[in-house]
Amino acid sequence: MVPMLIKDLLKSSPDGHQVVVCGWVRTVRDSKGLVFIQVNDGSCFANIQLTFDRNAPSNNANVNNIEEELKKLNTGASVKAKGMLVESPASGQAVEVTLEELKCLGTCNPDEYPLQKNKMSMEYLREHAHLRARTNTFGAVYRVRNQMAFAVHSFFQERGFQYINAPEITCSDCEGAGEMFQVTTLSMEKIAELGVKAGQGGMKIEDAHKIVDYSKDFFGKKASLTVSGQLEAETLATALSRVYTFGPTFRAENSNTPRHLSEFWMIEPEMAFFDLDDDMDFQEDFVKYLLNWALTKCREDLEFFDKRIQPGLIAQLEAVVNSKFVRITYTDAIAKLEEAAKNGAKFEFTPYWGCDIATEHERYLTEQIFKCPVMVYNYPKEIKSFYMKLNEDGKTVKAVDVLVPGIGELNGGSEREEDYDKLMKAIKDRGMDESVYDWYMDLRKFGTVPHSGFGMGFERLIRYVTGMENIRDVIPYPRAPKLADF
């Protein structure tokens, strides 16, 4: 008999039909001959209660066996139970299962099990990432993560987009920041030995790179893990019109903060024939669709987060869904921030034209000035990526960041530069290796079109939807500086 998921059992009619339940024990309580076992299988927030009455007359031939199996149960043990689904007299639950058969599938030594009934810190649970999904908090996080991934695909598929897979190994740096993980089969130890010998011969430090012969490396040239699938997505958008990539990306930024990961998932659509205004309309629809999905499909888990993690979370998400996003130029946004600073607003980083707007500025715009989501566009070209379309003023680019109350930037994008000469100049001005981008420049030579896109960090979305403080707590196995062992 196939076991039913607990989320389905809890919605079933308590008519006494036989069911099979599998899961992990949360608690076992023995009260005057009545045994109550709370079991959870991760399918939903709630547990189902298994009951066994030692005092009731029974023809059940498995009574002795049940007693033996009960002796093996502690928090964390796995069980398989068969019984009758009946109406529960207990408050807060509609049904329960009266035991007919019980099997402890895996014991759990309470003296060694890291997850105990007492409250555990997020940092402690991070040290036991392989077990933390069994807690209420992380079970809810991963269920929400699952639903939001499905929502991402649903949004794009409903709008005629093609799902593509961008390569994880690349020779180009989309963001131009150089914070990439190198991929190589060359021996670092041998290179170090050569370096020592060369140093004895008087080689200068700045010439040390000459020791590395990339022609002998696996790919024949320097390669890295991708920081973005955008450039490759553009190649397919200029053939299929509307595409999106949704996969892992990597950034070797040595920032050990609650907002940074070294490995994370990115949602990156690219749309041919879209200008910046089209892109902004689309991003607003996307954010509202995802948040509405969470409010509808993940209500029980969000109620838990609202109660235990971030009070007011649901109201905050509903406010974004029901808001019209304000649109303001970067220049006007900076002017408002400068005015606020003159009137007594305290900022750690002083706002000025040309600065990269910090999180504190983003939140001030959304939470204090406009009290709703804000889309800031037309940024100075110096603080944005090389591929963004230059405005006629020659100083700003058609870039936009979407800011929401409670977290600041949620996603951002731009209209891409479709003019060959202007894009080549941007590459040269930044001292980038032109040869690495030959294929990318071909898009501007052969049937170039206006096109736009944006990126959203999936973990940033999950952090916003759940109210979790640390981004490392919304991905099953966080990767960060000095953290890659499990």
Side-chain angles (χ1 to χ4, degrees):
M1 191 174 180
V2 177
M4 287 184 67
L5 291 174
I6 289 173
K7 70 173 184 178
D8 297 325
L9 280 173
L10 294 174
K11 298 175 184 177
S12 300
S13 175
D15 55 9
H17 66 280
Q18 193 175 65
V19 297
V20 173
V21 182
C22 291
W24 292 267
V25 173
R26 288 291 177 87
T27 62
V28 181
R29 182 166 58 92
D30 194 333
S31 176
K32 300 179 180 178
L34 277 173
V35 181
F36 304 97
I37 309 166
Q38 294 287 333
V39 175
N40 187 278
D41 66 358
S43 63
C44 65
F45 183 82
N47 307 319
I48 195 163
Q49 182 167 271
L50 313 181
T51 63
F52 177 61
D53 188 350
R54 290 194 173 99
N55 302 318
S58 174
N59 295 321
N60 187 352
N62 295 309
V63 168
N64 292 335
N65 176 263
I66 291 175
E67 289 285 7
E68 288 302 311
E69 295 300 301
L70 285 172
K71 295 175 184 177
K72 303 175 185 178
L73 301 190
N74 288 295
T75 298
S78 59
V79 296
K80 180 177 183 179
K82 182 183 289 186
M84 310 298 284
L85 189 68
V86 299
E87 187 175 352
S88 175
S91 61
Q93 56 189 36
V95 298
E96 64 183 27
V97 176
T98 57
L99 281 177
E100 294 179 329
E101 297 178 22
L102 179 66
K103 175 67 176 177
C104 177
L105 300 174
T107 59
C108 187
N109 187 336
D111 296 328
E112 298 178 357
Y113 189 45
L115 307 183
Q116 298 301 321
K117 296 177 184 178
N118 54 305
K119 187 175 182 180
M120 297 167 285
S121 69
M122 294 297 174
E123 184 176 355
Y124 174 81
L125 289 170
R126 218 171 289 137
E127 295 171 358
H128 301 280
H130 57 300
L131 295 172
R132 63 180 180 172
R134 299 188 188 184
T135 65
N136 287 335
T137 299
F138 287 95
V141 166
Y142 300 142
R143 284 190 296 272
V144 170
R145 186 181 173 100
N146 165 68
Q147 277 292 336
M148 298 316 295
F150 189 75
V152 167
H153 287 292
S154 295
F155 177 84
F156 289 117
Q157 292 297 322
E158 289 170 8
R159 288 157 179 78
F161 278 67
Q162 308 297 323
Y163 173 48
I164 62 156
N165 303 112
E168 293 181 29
I169 297 174
T170 181
C171 296
S172 59
D173 181 1
C174 178
E175 300 303 323
E179 298 165 338
M180 303 177 76
F181 289 102
Q182 189 172 345
V183 176
T184 182
T185 55
L186 297 175
S187 169
M188 296 296 103
E189 289 81 5
K190 289 182 180 180
I191 292 173
E193 290 174 7
L194 288 172
V196 171
K197 293 177 181 178
Q200 292 173 348
M203 176 178 276
K204 297 179 180 179
I205 293 295
E206 56 266 30
D207 294 328
H209 70 279
K210 297 177 181 178
I211 298 172
V212 182
D213 184 0
Y214 282 111
S215 67
K216 296 180 180 179
D217 205 352
F218 187 89
F219 294 106
K221 59 176 65 176
K222 188 174 182 179
S224 304
L225 293 177
T226 185
V227 299
S228 169
Q230 177 205 313
L231 302 189
E232 291 81 4
E234 283 187 56
T235 68
L236 294 180
T238 54
L240 303 175
S241 290
R242 300 179 188 182
V243 302
Y244 71 103
T245 180
F246 180 19
T249 53
F250 309 85
R251 190 161 297 176
E253 183 178 1
N254 193 18
S255 296
N256 211 342
T257 77
R259 297 184 293 109
H260 290 89
L261 286 170
S262 299
E263 178 183 349
F264 51 97
W265 283 60
M266 282 292 291
I267 306 157
E268 296 179 293
E270 289 293 323
M271 298 89 71
F273 314 107
F274 272 50
D275 62 18
L276 182 62
D277 289 329
D278 299 326
D279 194 18
M280 289 195 284
D281 290 342
F282 198 77
Q283 289 190 61
E284 182 170 345
D285 289 344
F286 184 55
V287 170
K288 290 181 176 180
Y289 183 97
L290 294 180
L291 299 190
N292 188 60
W293 186 288
L295 289 164
T296 304
K297 305 286 188 179
C298 310
R299 194 72 186 194
E300 183 182 37
D301 289 322
L302 290 194
E303 287 172 353
F304 167 79
F305 291 122
D306 195 302
K307 182 178 180 180
R308 299 290 184 88
I309 302 298
Q310 182 184 318
L313 173 67
I314 290 176
Q316 177 176 269
L317 299 179
E318 289 175 338
V320 173
V321 170
N322 296 321
S323 293
K324 175 64 179 175
F325 290 16
V326 167
R327 300 183 184 186
I328 184 173
T329 65
Y330 169 90
T331 299
D332 289 342
I334 289 295
K336 287 187 175 296
L337 290 168
E338 289 176 330
E339 182 182 357
K342 289 178 182 178
N343 292 331
K346 302 297 182 182
F347 295 121
E348 181 180 355
F349 302 101
T350 301
Y352 61 91
W353 201 97
C355 76
D356 199 354
I357 296 179
T359 300
E360 61 176 337
H361 305 145
E362 295 167 349
R363 295 192 62 173
Y364 195 88
L365 287 167
T366 59
E367 297 169 23
Q368 302 298 324
I369 296 178
F370 294 106
K371 302 187 188 311
C372 69
V374 177
M375 305 179 88
V376 179
Y377 64 97
N378 286 352
Y379 278 80
K381 64 180 182 180
E382 288 79 12
I383 62 174
K384 288 297 182 180
S385 298
F386 75 97
Y387 51 76
M388 297 183 177
K389 185 175 178 65
L390 191 66
N391 281 310
E392 292 182 2
D393 61 15
K395 299 189 300 181
T396 62
V397 290
K398 293 181 180 293
V400 60
D401 287 338
V402 179
L403 318 178
V404 292
I407 198 172
E409 183 187 348
L410 185 59
N411 49 287
S414 72
E415 187 173 340
R416 316 313 191 189
E417 181 58 75
E418 83 273 15
D419 183 277
Y420 181 94
D421 294 331
K422 291 180 180 179
L423 183 58
M424 181 58 74
K425 184 178 186 303
I427 290 175
K428 289 180 177 180
D429 287 348
R430 295 175 187 241
M432 299 165 64
D433 184 353
E434 299 170 35
S435 65
V436 174
Y437 298 92
D438 285 344
W439 59 273
Y440 187 64
M441 296 304 298
D442 278 352
L443 304 180
R444 278 73 182 173
K445 289 170 62 178
F446 309 124
T448 187
V449 296
H451 60 289
S452 301
F454 65 89
M456 174 187 282
F458 188 53
E459 283 71 31
R460 184 173 294 190
L461 169 68
I462 305 304
R463 181 174 170 233
Y464 188 59
V465 168
T466 61
M468 296 293 284
E469 184 176 351
N470 197 313
I471 200 167
R472 300 181 190 185
D473 296 330
V474 297
I475 190 170
Y477 293 98
R479 294 293 179 254
K482 307 296 186 294
L483 182 62
D485 46 354
F486 71 84

